[in-house]
């Protein structure tokens, strides 16, 4: 019998999506003005307890805007992890600046110890300005990525950022809903700890607007300027006076209508993802050579993506395992290739990258949709068990 296909991550649109989108269409507010946009901004900023929010076309546009808000230009360099989706890096180049690639720690996020070592050994800090000794360029900002919804070590990273007076942009595109439960940032959400945070509502993210994103901050000046820059930098909307070069980056009312309906379900999605995560954890414990990566202690993660390490003792390589799961109609995916090894970034500085390659070699993602059923999880683990024991031979 042909089993149904189990995708890696697909959206679930079973709430008020149709109702609100219909309303947007019936009222003919479909573009970048309309009541749902402001409502969505207020609901997201209320949920994560940020002072302000600006809804944009997608996470990449949000990250580009965030860098512009910090004044990143061609005279600058920006710290970014190499283990990330490339959209955390490309906007640095859109600004004409260069990325400096950092290693990850075991949370898959930026390693604060390497960051400190890099600043101490390779940079000079004078009059509040940090310079790269080898290029003489200013290091202007740090981009942190909360990989798979797991918070990066924000306590460690923020301490260093404060020491060197650097603003921090949190790429929280995968981490809407994750927050610290204790420590310096207790009850603070991913995206609201640094200077600016960015969420994505792409189709594979924890909530979706088809395509969409949001910038959040506790600095209202930055939020006001973000709204201005993302609407063509129009100072006067009657006479069309522009004081800067802006962008057409605003979210539409239709997207925002979807977003509000999705946000209503976010905590339910997280609860399902959490239950499936712990079911995987329990059942995978019996499979030799596979280790489900943990989320950071002292946090409530959003459990967005599940990552397993494939050890040699499993009996198949990571590559082979993805192929074999595909034969069983289960979609799995390797973690992203490291950005500092890719053609556009090969010439950029990469500082002692040692941990990221280990995860690159071993990690795959398993199906994790917010509507994944318990028996799907059991079927996936049972398949892994058979593959591990060598009962299931390679039929490809
Ligand atoms: C999805 C994602 C982005 C970009 O978001 P889009 O809305 O797709 O532009 C950026 N960084 C990371 C880590 C992501 O996963």
């Amino acid at each position: 019998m042909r089993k149904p296909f189990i995708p890696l991550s697909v959206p679930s649109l079973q709430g008020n999506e149709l109702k609100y989108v219909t309303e947007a269409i019936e009222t003919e507010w479909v573009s970048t003005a309309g009541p749902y946009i402001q409502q969505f901004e207020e609901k997201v900023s209320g949920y994560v307890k940020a002072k302000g929010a600006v809804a944009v076309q997608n996470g990449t546009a949000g990250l580009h805007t965030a860098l512009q808000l910090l004044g990143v230009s061609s005279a600058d360099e920006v710290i970014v992890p190499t283990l990330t989706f490339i959209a955390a890096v490309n906007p640095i180049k859109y600004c004409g600046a260069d990325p400096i690639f950092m290693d990850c720690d075991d949370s898959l996020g930026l390693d604060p110890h390497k960051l400190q070592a890099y600043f101490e050994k390779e940079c000079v800090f004078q009059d509040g300005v940090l310079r790269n000794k080898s290029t003489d360029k200013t290091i202007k900002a740090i981009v942190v990525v909360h990989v798979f919804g797991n918070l990066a070590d924000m306590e460690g990273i923020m301490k260093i950022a404060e020491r060197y007076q650097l603003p921090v942009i949190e790429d929280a595109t995968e981490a809407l809903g994750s927050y610290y439960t204790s420590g310096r940032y207790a009850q603070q959400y991913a995206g609201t700890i640094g200077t600016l945070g960015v969420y994505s509502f792409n189709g594979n993210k924890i909530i979706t607007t088809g395509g969409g994103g949001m910038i959040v901050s506790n600095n209202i000046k930055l939020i006001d300027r973000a709204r201005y820059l993302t609407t063509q930098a129009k100072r006067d909307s009657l006479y069309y006076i522009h004081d800067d070069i802006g962008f057409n980056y605003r979210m539409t009312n239709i997207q925002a209508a979807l977003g509000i309906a999705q946000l209503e379900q976010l905590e339910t999605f997280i609860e399902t993802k959490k239950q499936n995560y712990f079911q995987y954890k329990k059942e995978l414990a019996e499979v030799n050579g596979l280790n489900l990566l943990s989320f950071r202690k002292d946090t409530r993660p959003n459990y967005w993506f599940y990552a397993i390490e494939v050890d040699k003792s499993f009996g198949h390589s990571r590559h082979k395992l993805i192929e074999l799961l595909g034969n069983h109609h289960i979609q799995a995916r390797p973690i992203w290739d490291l950005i500092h090894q890719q053609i556009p970034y090969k010439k950029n500085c990469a500082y002692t990258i040692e941990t990221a390659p280990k995860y690159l070699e071993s990690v795959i993602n398993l199906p994790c949709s917010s509507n994944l059923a318990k028996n799907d999880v059991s079927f996936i683990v049972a398949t892994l068990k058979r593959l591990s024991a060598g009962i299931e031979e390679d039929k490809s």
Side-chain angles (χ1 to χ4, degrees):
M1 195 186 76
R2 192 185 159 85
K3 290 271 184 335
F5 176 70
I6 305 178
L8 183 68
S9 178
V10 287
S12 166
L13 304 166
Q14 305 297 315
N16 286 319
E17 288 83 357
L18 195 57
K19 185 174 163 218
Y20 298 163
V21 170
T22 302
E23 200 173 296
I25 291 169
E26 281 175 352
T27 59
E28 298 184 336
W29 284 97
V30 292
S31 190
T32 55
Y36 279 132
I37 301 167
Q38 193 186 338
Q39 258 186 54
F40 187 37
E41 289 172 345
E42 286 169 2
K43 283 181 195 287
V44 171
S45 58
Y47 172 82
V48 299
K49 296 178 287 178
K51 291 223 172 83
V54 175
V56 292
Q57 276 297 318
N58 51 58
T60 311
L63 289 162
H64 184 200
T65 307
L67 291 162
Q68 300 263 337
L69 292 170
L70 300 178
V72 172
S73 76
S74 57
D76 303 321
E77 294 178 337
V78 175
I79 302 288
V80 71
T82 185
L83 185 72
T84 177
F85 180 51
I86 199 165
V89 184
N90 285 340
I92 297 168
K93 280 284 191 184
Y94 303 165
C95 296
D98 273 310
I100 295 170
F101 292 104
M102 282 289 144
D103 205 3
C104 66
D105 61 19
D106 291 325
S107 71
L108 305 184
L110 193 102
D111 182 342
H113 299 102
K114 294 243 169 117
L115 185 67
Q116 178 62 37
Y118 176 74
F119 288 168
E120 263 173 36
K121 291 179 188 155
E122 308 293 334
C123 303
V124 251
F125 185 57
Q126 214 170 25
D127 305 325
V129 177
L130 187 66
R131 271 177 205 289
N132 179 346
K133 279 197 260 186
S134 66
T135 61
D136 204 36
K137 286 194 171 186
T138 306
I139 295 171
K140 193 79 170 199
I142 300 169
V143 174
V144 176
V145 182
H146 303 301
V147 175
F148 302 151
N150 191 26
L151 277 148
D153 182 355
M154 289 308 284
E155 290 201 12
I157 293 164
M158 290 305 289
K159 236 181 259 163
I160 298 164
E162 283 154 12
R163 193 171 299 142
Y164 293 94
Q165 300 175 26
L166 288 176
V168 172
I169 295 172
E170 292 179 73
D171 177 336
T173 50
E174 306 183 352
L176 179 64
S178 301
Y179 61 86
Y180 275 97
T181 51
S182 61
R184 181 181 175 191
Y185 297 116
Q187 308 309 318
Q188 276 182 254
Y189 281 79
T192 67
I193 296 167
T195 315
L196 289 150
V198 178
Y199 303 116
S200 165
F201 312 118
N202 189 31
N204 65 341
K205 298 303 203 281
I206 193 150
I207 64 169
T208 185
T209 59
M214 201 171 292
I215 305 165
V216 292
S217 180
N218 288 320
N219 181 331
I220 286 298
K221 272 196 190 141
L222 289 178
I223 286 298
D224 288 344
R225 188 161 168 81
R227 195 165 280 115
Y228 162 79
L229 282 180
T230 54
T231 46
Q232 308 280 25
K234 208 184 286 165
R235 176 161 62 75
D236 187 300
S237 58
L238 179 61
Y239 291 99
Y240 281 63
I241 311 296
H242 307 268
D243 293 341
D244 291 275
I245 296 172
F247 304 88
N248 183 12
Y249 273 176
R250 280 289 267 174
M251 179 179 275
T252 67
N253 200 48
I254 296 186
Q255 290 168 302
L258 261 176
I260 291 171
Q262 286 272 289
L263 190 64
E264 290 172 353
Q265 300 161 83
L266 174 56
E267 282 299 323
T268 321
F269 291 164
I270 293 175
E271 186 53 35
T272 307
K273 278 175 181 274
K274 178 181 173 181
Q275 286 181 15
N276 285 337
Y277 174 83
F278 283 105
Q279 193 186 332
Y280 267 120
K281 186 126 199 143
K282 188 163 155 261
E283 296 184 12
L284 278 169
E286 294 164 26
V287 183
N288 197 32
L290 296 182
N291 172 42
L292 182 64
L293 289 187
S294 297
F295 290 93
R296 180 177 296 285
K297 262 198 245 139
D298 305 327
T299 68
R300 194 293 297 260
N302 68 357
Y303 298 94
W304 177 60
F305 250 49
Y306 313 141
I308 55 169
E309 281 178 289
V310 185
D311 187 75
K312 280 204 175 61
S313 62
F314 181 71
H316 295 290
S317 71
R318 179 192 70 149
H319 179 78
K320 191 76 199 168
L321 176 56
I322 292 170
E323 190 186 309
L324 292 172
L325 286 171
N327 294 344
H328 289 272
H329 311 288
I330 298 165
Q331 187 185 17
R333 185 183 87 174
I335 201 167
W336 319 280
D337 201 351
L338 304 179
I339 308 299
H340 79 283
Q341 309 182 138
Q342 311 222 19
I343 287 171
Y345 294 109
K346 272 189 179 153
K347 292 204 177 97
N348 283 99
C349 171
Y351 184 68
T352 59
I353 312 288
E354 297 148 332
T355 306
K358 281 195 290 188
Y359 286 107
L360 169 65
E361 292 302 311
S362 63
V363 167
I364 71 168
N365 294 117
L366 291 178
C368 61
S369 304
S370 52
N371 54 11
L372 185 69
K374 280 186 176 309
N375 55 0
D376 284 337
V377 176
S378 296
F379 169 71
I380 293 162
V381 178
T383 307
L384 287 166
K385 211 178 272 181
R386 286 204 311 278
L387 291 170
S388 152
I391 295 167
E392 193 71 37
E393 281 311 314
D394 176 9
K395 291 184 293 193
S396 58

